[in-house]
Amino acid sequence: MTVGVLALQGAFIEHETMLQGLGVATLQVRLPEQLAQVERLIIPGGESTTIGKLLVRFDLLGPIQQRAAEGMPIWGTCAGMILLAKEIAEGRVEGQPALGLMDITARRNAFGRQVDSFETNLQVPALGEVPFHAVFIRAPQIDKVGEAVETLASLDDGRIVAARQAKLLATAFHPELTGDARFHELFLGL
Ligand code: GLN
């Protein structure tokens, strides 16, 4: 199995390093030919407006939607989560392209600006009892989930920050930046 990491912009190297540590083959995806060679895809954190524009420019938007429709597992972290969402609350930039695959409403920059970035220990029942150390960098949150979506983690104040819908996984934070591979393992198991 080869896991693709969308490598247009953002934190893709860190995802690759994590996957390689798990003994998984990876491929940086920038072209439709590369997408065709992978069985799973991670959309990393970065800047969702930039990644969205590059998805269009590199002819990847339609092909990724097509692969998702065929059941390919996709995981979006942070900006990647925004791109996966069917709806983007407020912070959507006029004409911003997005994949619109997952039945969630994502709110960009929900915790404020870059300086308001933070780390916290999250309870994630799907990963067992040990809390997951989560790094939030100018992170989005999930305002709303559809019926088919399972919430995987919320902050103490109730804001949803991780969710799953069939083969789609979304995390508002960056699991590739800590040594804890449990979210990567969860994704590989979808
Ligand atoms: N704030 C960024 C956005 O709206 C996401 C930040 C991140 O991916 N770390 O796209």
Side-chain angles (χ1 to χ4, degrees):
M1 176 181 63
T2 302
V3 176
V5 184
L6 187 71
L8 300 175
Q9 190 260 340
F12 53 88
I13 302 273
E14 291 80 355
H15 273 296
E16 271 201 299
T17 306
M18 201 75 164
L19 291 166
Q20 286 161 4
L22 292 172
V24 177
T26 63
L27 184 68
Q28 293 185 4
V29 173
R30 293 189 187 83
L31 300 167
E33 301 87 278
Q34 293 159 337
L35 179 67
Q37 290 168 44
V38 302
E39 279 82 44
R40 281 161 200 268
L41 183 68
I42 295 179
I43 305 178
E47 184 55 46
S48 56
T49 50
T50 304
I51 299 175
K53 280 184 205 152
L54 294 172
L55 279 174
V56 173
R57 190 168 313 159
F58 286 72
D59 277 326
L60 280 167
L61 193 75
I64 292 174
Q65 288 167 327
Q66 176 66 33
R67 290 295 304 278
E70 291 163 12
M72 176 178 70
I74 305 180
W75 175 17
T77 55
C78 204
M81 176 182 104
I82 296 165
L83 288 157
L84 274 187
K86 281 213 169 122
E87 276 187 61
I88 301 172
E90 291 162 33
R92 181 170 198 148
V93 173
E94 182 73 16
Q96 177 181 353
L99 292 163
L101 296 170
M102 190 169 174
D103 198 5
I104 57 173
T105 302
R107 178 175 298 269
R108 297 184 64 204
N109 306 330
F111 301 93
R113 291 144 50 104
Q114 197 77 18
V115 291
D116 301 311
S117 299
F118 64 100
E119 302 184 14
T120 189
N121 287 322
L122 272 183
Q123 287 301 331
V124 188
L127 300 181
E129 269 178 29
V130 178
F132 191 89
H133 190 73
V135 179
F136 290 80
I137 303 171
R138 206 152 68 91
Q141 70 180 35
I142 299 173
D143 275 6
K144 229 169 51 185
V145 298
E147 250 169 49
V149 179
E150 179 194 355
T151 296
L152 294 178
S154 306
L155 295 173
D156 290 342
D157 62 8
R159 300 162 179 235
I160 302 171
V161 291
R164 165 167 71 184
Q165 178 181 5
K167 307 250 161 144
L168 303 174
L169 178 64
T171 52
F173 47 91
H174 286 263
E176 77 284 9
L177 295 183
T178 50
D180 192 337
R182 285 179 292 162
F183 264 104
H184 288 78
E185 285 165 343
L186 181 78
F187 175 61
L188 295 173
L190 285 184

